[in-house]
Amino acid sequence: MPPIQATDQLQAVLFDMDGTLVDTERLWLEAVRIEAEQLGLDLDEQDQPHILGRAVADTAEHLHRRLRSEHAARPLPLDRLADALDERFALLVADQVVPMPGALALLDALVAAGVTTALVSASPRHVVDVVLDALGRDRFAVSFAAGETPRTKPAPDPYLAAAAALGVATAHCVAVEDTPTGIASAEAAGCAVLAVPSAARVEEAPGRLVVGSLLDVDLALLRALVRAGEDRSST
């Protein structure tokens, strides 16, 4: 990979996985819905912040709290619930991994331009590995999964770890995300954010650009997003 030029303010693009690069957010929602139904729980919009962009353990804890509150006579061990969610999601992903429109073309354009990329996910490592195999491991310099940093999204740890592993400053990175949880993580780490919403609405904000699809994204747009952030910080 050619070295990054000193005049190029974009040093790396850090990609979320589920719902951003691959169409797995719907599979995660389906896995959670099925497990919740089996527990006698009905999910609605109030549950979404505890599901979208969250690690398996976070969603399991949320369902477990609801279960204890609404079905106190039918407790289920938290670890069994987390294992059930993990297993169902992994099976769905292994069977139905589909890249999002424009994902592979964007990754290849970044590699060709010498821009380093990373995969930063809240999914378990074994699910991340399935997706890496499907997308091509050579398209990413590093990857981080749930449990590989002290905290996961929405904490900034995963994006901070990815930038550190690449030897770049987060101020020179664009994070590509689809959920408010992931966006909170990336912005807390100091990254500019390109949001491609999947299941949850995302509003534009300083340092954040919202687009409808990865088909709308190119290298020039990513570079402009980093430059805009640097212009704001210098004023």
Side-chain angles (χ1 to χ4, degrees):
M1 183 178 295
I4 299 169
Q5 299 299 315
T7 56
D8 189 352
Q9 294 151 312
L10 175 65
Q11 294 181 351
V13 182
L14 315 177
F15 287 93
D16 170 58
M17 188 179 81
D18 299 305
T20 300
L21 284 179
V22 286
D23 189 14
T24 51
E25 199 70 75
R26 64 182 177 86
L27 302 180
W28 174 235
L29 288 170
E30 179 69 3
V32 176
R33 182 191 65 79
I34 292 172
E35 294 302 324
E37 282 187 355
Q38 292 182 352
L39 296 171
L41 299 174
D42 293 323
L43 302 180
D44 57 29
E45 289 185 359
Q46 293 183 344
D47 295 289
Q48 282 198 357
H50 304 280
I51 299 172
L52 295 175
R54 294 283 183 170
V56 172
D58 294 335
T59 299
E61 288 178 3
H62 172 66
L63 295 182
H64 195 251
R65 284 193 298 270
R66 283 198 54 190
L67 186 64
R68 286 184 299 170
S69 173
E70 300 173 31
H71 301 282
R74 296 169 48 200
L76 179 72
L78 177 58
D79 58 347
R80 283 179 52 195
L81 177 52
D83 288 346
L85 283 170
D86 188 7
E87 181 178 355
R88 188 175 296 278
F89 179 50
L91 289 172
L92 289 173
V93 171
D95 187 52
Q96 302 181 47
V97 171
V98 177
M100 297 296 282
L104 297 183
L106 177 58
L107 287 168
D108 288 343
L110 292 171
V111 171
V115 178
T116 307
T117 60
L119 190 65
V120 184
S121 178
S123 284
R125 169 52 62 182
H126 61 94
V127 174
V128 170
D129 284 340
V130 169
V131 174
L132 283 172
D133 288 338
L135 295 178
R137 291 176 179 270
D138 57 336
R139 290 186 166 105
F140 304 93
V142 297
S143 65
F144 284 86
E148 296 177 354
T149 55
R151 299 171 296 174
T152 190
K153 302 175 186 180
D157 302 36
Y159 282 103
L160 291 173
L166 296 174
V168 299
T170 55
H172 294 278
C173 297
V174 174
V176 186
E177 275 280 357
D178 72 312
T179 68
T181 298
I183 290 168
S185 173
E187 290 181 342
C191 301
V193 171
L194 179 75
V196 191
S198 57
R201 181 178 175 82
V202 175
E203 301 290 345
E204 289 203 22
R208 181 194 311 167
L209 177 65
V210 181
V211 298
S213 165
L214 292 179
L215 293 169
D216 302 324
V217 182
D218 59 16
L219 184 57
L221 181 65
L222 295 170
R223 284 175 169 154
L225 189 54
V226 170
R227 284 197 301 272
E230 292 191 339
D231 289 344
R232 281 192 303 274
S233 65
S234 64
T235 59

